[in-house]
Amino acid sequence: MFKRLLLQLCALIVAGGMSATTLANVPAPPVNQNIGIPDGVFNDLVRENCWYCHIPVRLTPDDLDDIGWTFAPPEVKPGVITDRHHFRVGTVIQDPTDSPFGVPGENYQCLDCHIVEYNEDVGYFEIVDNFTNCLNCHQQIPGQASVHHLTAPAQALNCMHCHGARIDNPGDGHYIPIGRTPTLVTPRTSSGKGPNGEGACDFCHNEGTDDVTGRFIPTNDINHHSTGIGQPGISDLDCTICHDQMNTDWAIRRCQDCHGIKSIHNIQFDSNDDGVVTVGGEEPFFGHVGSSPQDCHGCHGGYLSASGMPAPFSGPIVPEILGLSKQRVTAGSAETITVSGQALTNEVLSFMGTMVLKSRVSLTELDGTTVELTPETVSPSEMEVTLPADLSPGNYYLRAVKGVDTISNPMTLLVGPQVTIDTVSADGSSFTITGGGFGAYLNAADSGTSVTIATTACSVDSWSDSEIVANCGTTACGSLEVESIFGSASKEVSCN
Ligand code: HEC
Ligand code: HEC
Ligand code: HEC
Ligand code: HEC
Ligand code: HEC
Ligand code: HEC
Ligand code: HEC
Ligand code: HEC
């Protein structure tokens, strides 16, 4: 399984730069893999597979070569994984938590995740390597449930948290024609009633080998069931999340809890590589609303006389974020970053002429508080946005938002506190250092937290985010440096 996945992922990377028009699954099935998360099974991963999408700072692209990977930006790249953990230091431990030693409600300290042991041979504490295997703390159920789908948002059916508006959330009030009796126009989940089998999801989304990557794409039931959502013995969620009237014309209604008209009619890729997604003006089989009537017929069975007709709710094509020019910034100063992506703007052909819809940027804190920012420039593939100076330190989910609430996938933005030394006062050999952004201290070799004067280490007596007391000896002077989990700062201690 590991080998196969690696091969598949490598193929995906190698082909990543290829233009969509040179090779594509047209006509489907399987469908192209240009949008979002590759369709597949992810519940049997080993840590190297996690690294593919989440890259720890201690690994460089060269390290990934060492483990047999050809490195290139993957399709989903949350990135900066070490910092994402470390920026939790000083924040409240959530409930439930994957922290091996942390108590929900208390604030994160180093030892809530790390273990240190005294090494008698060298005479100091060392950090035990419990932290490089993601699966020591984040659980999957091999063959049954993936890490991501055991998280709190997934179990709370907040699928949009990670999948964005490519889907809707069950129960969020989006329109579903519940009362309307299904007709020949109503899509079926499978076995469409059109002359060539049109009129169902699996007319296009079915198993087969992806032309571009050579990856095998499984069927829709495998892709959904392998997440573990609604599978027996995992949680209170059951089959009825997705099935209530299986094998009937009504079956699609339950799917619409997540695949409502609102999301379904806004999934589209730029087929002709002209840089712009044009609703109604793309080649068929690159999404749902590119070409009318061909795309429409795939779901509506050829029974909707759709030629040239706009699909209801279509317009704000779901944007997707692929990367940030800078994923880590420092609080206290405004900074302009570039957000790259797909369909950050799109065109809609209407009776009034061509309309351009543009994304905004939203930042959501871990507690759910959200602010929206208006970017300075927006093109279909890039936005420039200035982050305000007054963002408080922490991890933020950055998303593109179009129309009222068409959100993209999230990418994490890390706002680090500024590490500053205000005062240093010495009383004999005891130095009191005040300032900010010191985080927490871990007394172990190479812990990344230390106080030194003229490169000689001091022993730490106490350490809080704003004050450190350290013993540096009575003759210490020169450049005093504090190295904290968030960065470092220094100040001259005069020799008198
Ligand atoms: C195919 C790419 C991919 C792979 C492989 C992958 N992840 Fe993720 N992961 C994501 C994306 C996308 C998100 C959602 C966006 C984000 O939080 O960055 C995410 C989010 C997470 C989250 C945060 C959940 C939350 O509450 O926000 C955890 C924890 C996580 N992944 C752990 C893992 C572990 C452990 C592995 C290996 C078993 C792994 N991931 C493999 C893409 C991937
Ligand atoms: C020693 C335990 C531990 C290990 C090992 C670990 N994590 Fe985590 N991770 C946590 C904890 C604790 C959190 C905070 C969320 C929580 O309380 O459940 C977290 C959070 C995350 C998040 C969300 C962070 C955010 O705020 O944006 C991601 C993504 C993630 N982990 C991925 C990984 C990946 C990938 C690996 C392997 C490279 C990994 N973790 C290794 C304990 C661990
Ligand atoms: C929420 C869990 C969490 C907390 C809290 C935490 N760490 Fe970590 N730390 C990790 C994870 C996960 C990694 C490893 C990611 C990777 O490289 O695979 C890591 C890696 C490290 C490393 C090795 C990094 C490298 O580049 O080699 C050091 C050193 C470290 N942590 C020190 C600390 C210190 C000091 C603190 C407290 C100030 C701390 N950590 C708090 C989760 C945590
Ligand atoms: C924490 C982020 C996160 C949340 C929340 C989440 N997913 Fe996912 N989902 C992912 C990631 C990352 C992948 C790819 C790796 C994997 O499957 O673990 C994925 C893959 C999938 C796939 C298979 C890939 C495909 O395109 O066919 C399906 C189906 C899916 N998720 C359904 C759901 C459903 C249903 C929910 C809500 C109940 C949900 N997800 C919530 C992150 C998430
Ligand atoms: C006319 C062919 C066609 C039909 C029929 C069809 N789709 Fe799609 N769908 C596509 C294409 C093409 C994409 C873009 C895939 C890509 O490039 O990643 C897509 C993408 C999606 C996505 C975005 C996530 C992803 O995996 O790429 C979802 C969700 C989706 N379709 C759901 C459905 C559902 C639900 C049905 C049945 C009601 C359906 N589709 C029927 C062609 C079709
Ligand atoms: C997250 C959504 C989801 C959940 C939960 C879910 N399924 Fe499915 N299931 C699907 C999808 C999508 C298909 C494909 C639909 C189709 O092609 O008609 C499917 C197809 C099926 C099929 C017919 C395909 C086949 O295997 O031949 C059966 C039987 C089935 N599911 C049983 C179950 C059972 C039993 C449960 C609960 C243990 C369950 N499903 C839970 C999404 C789900
Ligand atoms: C609880 C939410 C939920 C329900 C209910 C649900 N799906 Fe999905 N579905 C998802 C998510 C999430 C994805 C992955 C979207 C992405 O790639 O980001 C997905 C993807 C798809 C895709 C695109 C192909 C793929 O694998 O990515 C199809 C087709 C699809 N679903 C069909 C169905 C059908 C048919 C049903 C009803 C039997 C159904 N879904 C029920 C959440 C759901
Ligand atoms: C991926 C599948 C899919 C594609 C492709 C698609 N639709 Fe739909 N559409 C749906 C679903 C599902 C519904 C809800 C039908 C129902 O429940 O009866 C719907 C409903 C509609 C409705 C009725 C809306 C209402 O108020 O109930 C119209 C009109 C429509 N679609 C037009 C179009 C046109 C025009 C296109 C092509 C540009 C198109 N659709 C492409 C899935 C799709």
Side-chain angles (χ1 to χ4, degrees), residues 139-178:
Q139 301 301 310
Q140 66 185 350
I141 305 177
Q144 291 182 58
S146 93
V147 162
H148 304 102
H149 299 101
L150 295 173
T151 60
Q155 288 298 320
L157 295 180
N158 183 1
C159 313
M160 293 177 77
H161 173 71
C162 297
H163 290 279
R166 293 194 291 266
I167 48 158
D168 305 281
N169 275 339
D172 69 358
H174 64 273
Y175 167 63
I176 303 174
I178 301 168

Side-chain angles (χ1 to χ4, degrees), residues 28 31-37 39 166-167 187-188 200-201 203-205 252 259 264 267 269 285-288 294-295 298-299:
V31 300
N32 297 332
Q33 297 295 313
N34 297 316
I35 300 175
I37 292 165
D39 304 344
R166 293 194 291 266
I167 48 158
R188 289 173 56 91
C201 307
F203 178 66
C204 297
H205 295 274
I252 195 74
H259 303 293
I264 279 280
I267 293 171
F269 188 70
F285 296 110
F286 283 83
H288 292 168
Q294 290 100 314
D295 283 346
C299 277

Side-chain angles (χ1 to χ4, degrees), residues 86 100-101 109-116 127-128 130-131 442:
H86 287 163
F101 316 111
Q109 298 293 321
C110 314
L111 292 177
D112 292 332
C113 291
H114 291 290
I115 303 171
V116 292
I127 301 181
V128 175
N130 74 319
F131 59 82
L442 186 60

